[in-house]
C-alpha cells in the first residue's frame, strides 16, 4: 500500500487555482521531496494531506484513509511540522513537546519526551522558554513536537529553511535515520540541493507538477558542456550528463597530444530543476 | 482529560505572560479607582446646586446602584477582550491548527480555556470586589457578598466563552476590534449599567436581553433590594449558565478546523 495517494487534487482560493489536478503516489518508507519555489503550493498540498484544508476537487488518501473524514484514526499516524514554528514561546521546549504529546494517549510520555529531546539535540536547553531559542533551534523543537507520538508518516513543511549548513546536515541525518525505521517522510523545500538527499522528488510550480522522479534521473536530464582546446582552437560541445556519453564524446578526440586543456561543466541538480521550472514559463 | 491538559497549559502560559496578568488584575483595580474619583467629582456636583432646581440628585448615580454594575462591566469587557485575543493568537501562530492535528478536540480546547481561566477569574473577582467595597464603603451581609462574588465570577466565565466564540470569526487580532462596539458598547448602554434597562424602549430592552451582562445586572439589582427572593437570583444564574453552555456549543461549531 502507498503511504499517500492523491488523485486529481485541485484547490481554488476564489478564482485563484493554487493546486491544479495533482496526481501523486508516495511509497511507504521513503523520503519524498516536494521541491518548488515560493508560492508553488507546497504548504497547500501538505495541509490537504494532514486534513487542515478541504480540497476543491479530487481525492487524498493517507494510508488508505481520508484526512478529514477519518481524522481521528489518522491523527495517531501522522506527524506534522508546519512551516512556521507553531510553538508556545513562553513555555519550555519540554513542556511544548509534552503538551502536544498529551493530545493522545501515550504511555511513558515523559521518557519519550526525554528521548526525543536527546535525538534532536535539545536536552541542554530543554527547560528554557522557547522564545530564547534561535530560529534553527525552534525548528528542532517543532520537529520534536511532530515526532512525539511516533507517527508512521511525517509531513515536514520546509524543515531546513533558514537553518545553517551544519545543522541542515544534522537534520538530514535525522530524517535518514527515521526513514530507516520505516517512517515515511514527506518534505517540502525550495532548496534544490536538498533534492539529492531524497529518494524521490516532485517538482511543483504554480500548482502544477512538472516532474516526478528519483533525483538521479532528474540530474541525468541535465547537460554536460565540454570545452576543448586543440592546437589553439576552441571546440565546444554539449552532451547529456550520462557518464557513458562523456566517454564516447572524448573518444572522438582520442585524447591526442595536441589537446592542451579540457573543461567539463555538468549541470547540478539546481540547474536541472531550474531549467525544468523555467521551461514551463 | 484533554481539557485538563489544555487548562494547565493555559495557566502556565498566563503565569509566564506578565503583560497579560497586569492587564487582567492591575488594570481593573486602576479602573475601579478611576470610578471612585469620578464619583467623588459627581457627588460634589450634585450636592452644590440649588435644591429647588434639582430636587433630587440623578437617581441612577447613587453609588449602590452604580458601582456593582460598572464593576461587572469592567470584568466582562476585560475577560472578553483578553480571551479572544489569546485564542486568535493561537490561530495566527498556528498552534491551534497544530493542536487539532495532534488530536485535540475543539470542545476540549474551548473548555480547557475556560477551566484554565477559572483561577484568574477568581482572583480578578475577589480583588475587584474587595476594592469596590472598600473604596465605596459599601455594606453587604454575608449572603449578598457571596452572591455578588458569584455573579462577577460567573460573568467572567461567560465573557471567556463569548471571547472564544467571537474569536472563531477572526483571522487575526485586528478582526476582534469591530466586535468591541458591536457587543461591548451595547452592553454598557442597554443592560442596566448606566440606566435602568426596564426604562428603555422595547427594542433596546430586547437587545439587552441578548447580552449576558443583562442577567448579571439583574442579579445585582435583585440583591440590592432589602428582602429579595433567592429563586429569582437562581433563575438569572441559570440563564447565565445556559448562555455559557450555548456559547460553548456554538463556538465548537463555528471554530474552523479546515481552510
Ligand atoms: N488562505 C489563502 N487564501 C488565498 N490564497 C492563498 C491562501 N493560502 C495560500 N494562498 C495562495 O496559494 C498559493 C500557494 O501558496 P503556498 O503557501 O501553498 O505556497 P508555498 O509553495 O508553500 O510557498 P512558500 O515557499 O513561500 O512557503 C500562493 O499563491 C498563495 O498566495
Ligand atoms: Mg509554504
Amino acid at each position: 500500500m502507498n503511504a499517500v495517494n492523491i488523485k486529481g487534487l485541485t484547490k481554488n482560493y476564489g478564482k485563484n487555482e493554487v493546486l491544479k489536478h495533482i496526481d501523486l503516489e508516495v511509497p511507504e518508507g521513503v523520503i519524498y521531496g516536494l521541491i518548488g519555489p515560493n508560492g508553488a503550493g507546497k504548504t497547500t498540498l501538505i495541509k490537504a494531506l494532514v486534513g487542515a484544508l478541504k480540497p476543491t476537487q479530487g481525492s487524498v488518501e493517507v494510508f488508505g484513509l481520508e484526512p478529514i473524514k477519518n481524522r481521528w484514526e489518522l491523527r495517531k499516524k501522522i506527524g506534522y511540522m508546519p512551516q512556521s514554528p507553531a510553538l508556545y514561546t513562553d513555555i519550555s521546549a519540554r513542556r511544548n513537546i509534552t503538551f502536544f504529546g498529551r493530545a493522545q494517549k501515550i504511555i511513558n510520555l515523559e521518557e519519550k519526551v526525554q528521548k526525543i529531546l536527546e535525538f534532536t539535540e535539545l536536552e541542554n536547553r530543554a527547560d528554557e522558554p522557547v522564545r530564547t531559542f534561535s530560529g534553527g533551534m525552534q525548528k528542532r523543537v517543532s520537529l520534536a513536537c511532530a515526532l512525539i507520538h511516533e507517527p508512521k508518516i511525517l509531513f515536514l513543511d520546509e524543515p531546513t529553511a533558514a537553518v545553517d549548513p551544519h545543522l541542515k546536515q544534522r537534520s538530514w541525518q535525522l530524517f535518514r535515520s527515521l526513514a530507516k525505521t520505516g517512517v515515511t517522510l514527506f518534505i517540502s523545500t525550495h532548496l534544490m540541493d536538498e533534492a539529492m538527499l531524497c529518494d524521490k522528488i516532485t517538482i511543483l510550480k504554480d500548482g502544477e507538477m512538472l516532474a516526478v522522479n528519483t533525483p538521479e534521473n532528474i540530474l541525468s536530464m541535465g547537460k554536460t558542456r565540454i570545452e576543448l582546446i586543440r592546437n589553439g582552437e576552441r571546440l565546444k560541445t554539449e552532451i547529456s550528463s550520462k557518464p557513458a556519453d562523456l566517454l564516447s564524446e572524448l573518444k572522438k578526440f582520442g585524447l591526442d597530444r595536441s589537446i592542451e586543456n579540457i573543461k567539463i561543466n555538468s549541470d547540478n541538480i539546481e540547474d536541472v530543476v531550474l531549467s525544468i521550472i523555467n521551461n514551463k514559463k | 482529560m484533554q481539557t485538563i491538559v489544555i487548562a494547565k497549559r493555559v495557566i502556565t502560559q498566563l503565569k509566564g505572560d506578565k503583560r497579560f496578568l497586569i492587564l487582567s488584575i492591575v488594570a481593573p483595580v486602576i479602573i475601579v479607582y478611576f470610578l471612585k474619583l469620578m464619583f467623588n467629582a459627581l457627588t460634589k456636583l450634585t450636592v452644590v446646586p440649588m435644591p429647588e432646581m434639582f430636587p433630587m440628585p440623578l437617581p441612577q448615580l447613587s453609588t449602590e446602584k452604580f458601582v456593582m454594575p460598572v464593576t461587572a462591566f469592567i470584568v466582562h469587557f476585560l475577560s472578553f477582550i483578553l480571551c479572544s485575543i489569546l485564542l486568535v493568537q493561537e490561530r495566527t501562530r498556528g498552534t491551534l491548527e497544530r493542536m487539532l492535528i495532534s488530536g485535540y478536540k475543539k470542545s476540549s480546547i474551548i473548555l480547557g480555556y475556560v477551566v484554565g481561566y477559572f483561577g484568574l477569574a477568581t482572583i480578578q473577582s475577589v480583588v475587584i470586589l474587595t476594592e469596590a467595597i472598600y473604596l465605596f464603603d459599601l455594606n453587604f451581609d454575608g449572603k449578598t457578598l457571596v452572591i455578588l462574588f458569584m455573579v462577577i465570577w460567573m460573568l467572567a466565565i461567560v465573557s471567556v466563552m463569548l471571547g472564544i466564540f467571537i474569536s472563531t470569526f477572526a483571522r487575526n487580532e485586528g478582526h476582534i476590534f469591530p466586535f468591541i462596539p458591536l457587543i461591548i458598547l451595547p452592553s454598557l448602554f442597554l443592560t442596566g449599567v448606566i440606566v435602568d434597562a426596564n426604562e428603555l424602549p422595547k427594542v433596546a430592552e430586547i437587545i439587552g436581553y441578548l447580552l449576558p451582562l443583562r442577567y448579571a445586572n439583574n442579579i445585582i439589582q435583585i440583591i440590592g433590594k432589602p428582602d429579595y427572593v433567592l429563586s429569582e437570583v437562581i433563575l438569572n444564574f441559570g440563564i447565565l449558565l445556559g448562555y455559557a453552555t450555548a456559547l460553548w456549543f456554538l463556538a465548537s461549531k463555528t471554530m474552523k478546523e479546515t481552510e
Side-chain angles (χ1 to χ4, degrees):
Chain A
M1 184 174 59
N2 282 328
V4 170
N5 260 321
I6 300 178
K7 282 200 192 79
L9 171 64
T10 298
K11 176 70 188 179
N12 299 340
Y13 281 116
K15 274 190 189 151
N16 192 4
E17 211 171 28
V18 174
L19 291 177
K20 297 168 188 160
H21 213 85
I22 305 281
D23 292 308
L24 190 91
E25 287 178 8
V26 178
E28 222 171 313
V30 302
I31 299 187
Y32 200 99
L34 183 63
I35 321 279
N38 290 136
K42 303 183 294 293
T43 300
T44 311
L45 182 59
I46 289 185
K47 284 196 177 182
L49 286 166
V50 298
L53 181 136
K54 230 181 247 156
T56 309
Q57 245 174 40
S59 74
V60 176
E61 279 182 5
V62 179
F63 294 118
L65 298 165
E66 284 180 44
I68 294 177
K69 211 169 113 196
N70 310 106
R71 57 180 177 277
W72 298 114
E73 249 170 290
L74 254 187
R75 272 163 196 180
K76 294 186 187 72
K77 295 183 180 159
I78 63 174
Y80 169 48
M81 174 181 169
Q83 189 168 355
S84 65
L87 300 166
Y88 299 101
T89 49
D90 289 330
I91 62 180
S92 70
R94 191 188 304 275
R95 275 184 197 270
N96 267 286
I97 304 166
T98 312
F99 172 73
F100 288 110
R102 288 248 158 85
Q104 285 162 29
K105 288 187 188 70
I106 299 177
I107 32 170
N108 295 334
L109 181 62
E110 260 130 74
E111 234 169 82
K112 280 184 185 148
V113 170
Q114 182 59 33
K115 256 192 212 151
I116 279 178
L117 282 166
E118 281 160 28
F119 182 63
T120 49
E121 297 178 359
L122 285 164
E123 71 268 37
N124 291 333
R125 298 184 61 184
D127 297 300
E128 291 172 38
V130 170
R131 86 179 109 79
T132 65
F133 288 15
S134 72
M137 289 181 74
Q138 294 196 5
K139 286 247 171 205
R140 267 184 293 161
V141 181
S142 183
L143 175 66
C145 292
L147 288 173
I148 183 63
H149 56 286
E150 295 168 334
K152 283 175 71 182
I153 184 163
L154 270 171
F155 295 98
L156 311 178
D157 199 353
E158 305 206 13
T160 53
V163 168
D164 71 52
H166 167 74
L167 205 58
K168 200 154 88 180
Q169 198 184 17
R170 273 291 305 145
S171 303
W172 278 92
Q173 283 167 358
L174 281 185
F175 300 158
R176 196 40 81 185
S177 65
L178 282 166
K180 282 215 180 88
T181 64
V183 176
T184 310
L185 289 96
F186 192 87
I187 302 176
S188 85
T189 178
H190 62 259
L191 304 167
M192 310 301 171
D193 58 320
E194 290 188 329
M196 282 314 286
L197 304 166
C198 303
D199 297 317
K200 208 167 178 191
I201 58 173
T202 276
I203 299 169
L204 198 68
K205 168 82 199 298
D206 293 336
E208 270 179 271
M209 272 171 50
L210 304 184
V212 183
N213 222 318
T214 61
E216 289 75 22
N217 286 344
I218 298 257
L219 186 60
S220 70
M221 293 175 192
K223 299 273 183 287
T224 292
R225 282 159 293 276
I226 304 171
E227 195 179 317
L228 265 130
I229 300 176
R230 186 165 59 182
N231 299 330
E233 184 194 1
R234 203 174 283 262
L235 299 164
K236 284 186 188 177
T237 39
E238 193 177 82
I239 55 164
S240 88
S241 283
K242 292 190 191 95
D245 286 359
L246 177 65
L247 197 64
S248 59
E249 185 66 25
L250 290 179
K251 268 181 189 158
K252 287 186 203 159
F253 298 98
L255 281 188
D256 89 39
R257 220 185 273 173
S258 55
I259 292 168
E260 297 142 30
N261 197 356
I262 306 178
K263 280 187 194 159
I264 298 172
N265 172 5
S266 296
D267 280 347
N268 61 21
I269 189 84
E270 183 158 353
D271 299 324
V272 184
V273 172
L274 283 177
S275 78
I276 292 174
I277 287 173
N278 290 333
N279 280 347
K280 198 71 198 177
K281 268 186 188 160
Chain B
M1 183 52 210
Q2 287 193 343
T3 305
I4 304 296
V5 177
I6 291 169
K8 273 192 190 158
R9 197 216 73 223
V10 172
I11 293 168
T12 345
Q13 231 184 328
L14 288 177
K15 277 196 280 186
D17 195 339
K18 298 279 179 304
R19 284 167 309 166
F20 199 95
L21 278 185
I22 289 172
L23 264 175
S24 44
I25 310 278
V26 182
V29 166
I30 295 172
I31 296 170
V32 169
Y33 181 67
F34 287 162
L35 187 67
K36 171 67 180 165
L37 294 183
M38 187 187 86
F39 259 101
N40 289 349
L42 265 180
T43 37
K44 268 184 215 149
L45 271 182
T46 44
V47 167
V48 174
M50 280 169 287
E52 304 89 63
M53 282 178 77
F54 297 93
M56 276 190 295
L58 293 168
Q60 299 304 326
L61 292 179
S62 67
T63 29
E64 298 87 70
K65 273 201 165 172
F66 198 68
V67 171
M68 279 307 142
V70 171
T71 309
F73 173 74
I74 294 168
V75 169
H76 179 52
F77 181 67
L78 285 174
S79 311
F80 166 78
I81 293 288
L82 293 176
C83 234
S84 50
I85 285 179
L86 215 60
L87 219 79
V88 173
Q89 270 181 358
E90 293 244 24
R91 185 176 290 281
T92 52
R93 287 180 186 164
T95 45
L96 184 66
E97 184 186 67
R98 190 167 214 165
M99 270 199 276
L100 291 166
I101 290 168
S102 303
Y104 282 112
K105 292 193 181 70
K106 291 191 281 184
S107 52
S108 323
I109 295 174
I110 297 165
L111 213 56
Y113 257 84
V114 176
V115 175
Y117 205 84
F118 266 9
L120 191 59
T122 310
I123 301 172
Q124 217 178 24
S125 325
V126 170
V127 169
I128 200 167
L129 255 179
T130 314
E131 188 196 9
I133 290 168
Y134 171 75
L135 280 182
F136 292 93
D137 217 1
L138 305 172
N139 283 309
F140 298 112
D141 57 36
K143 189 171 87 177
T144 311
L145 209 56
V146 169
I147 295 173
L148 262 181
F149 168 73
M150 281 178 62
V151 174
I152 304 278
W153 186 79
M154 186 75 204
L155 187 65
I157 300 304
V158 177
S159 316
V160 170
M161 287 288 194
L162 190 64
I164 294 172
F165 175 62
I166 295 300
S167 77
T168 62
F169 301 101
R171 284 195 148 267
N172 57 52
E173 279 96 332
H175 290 172
I176 296 292
F177 292 104
F179 288 100
I180 298 174
L182 264 173
I183 290 178
I184 297 302
L185 291 181
S187 290
L188 186 60
F189 301 144
L190 306 181
T191 64
V193 177
I194 300 174
V195 289
D196 192 340
N198 298 319
E199 307 289 321
L200 291 167
K202 201 85 207 140
V203 182
E205 201 189 341
I206 291 170
I207 296 173
Y209 273 117
L210 295 174
L211 301 163
L213 195 61
R214 168 80 214 223
Y215 304 98
N217 281 335
N218 277 355
I219 300 174
I220 293 169
Q221 297 292 324
I222 293 165
I223 57 175
K225 292 174 201 145
D227 38 24
Y228 55 87
V229 202
L230 203 56
S231 64
E232 276 183 65
V233 174
I234 292 169
L235 174 70
N236 281 289
F237 265 117
I239 296 174
L240 278 177
L241 191 67
Y243 208 103
T245 316
L247 281 175
W248 177 37
F249 179 76
L250 282 176
S252 42
K253 288 271 168 262
T254 55
M255 189 184 268
K256 279 185 220 67
E257 218 163 331
T258 54
E259 275 175 38

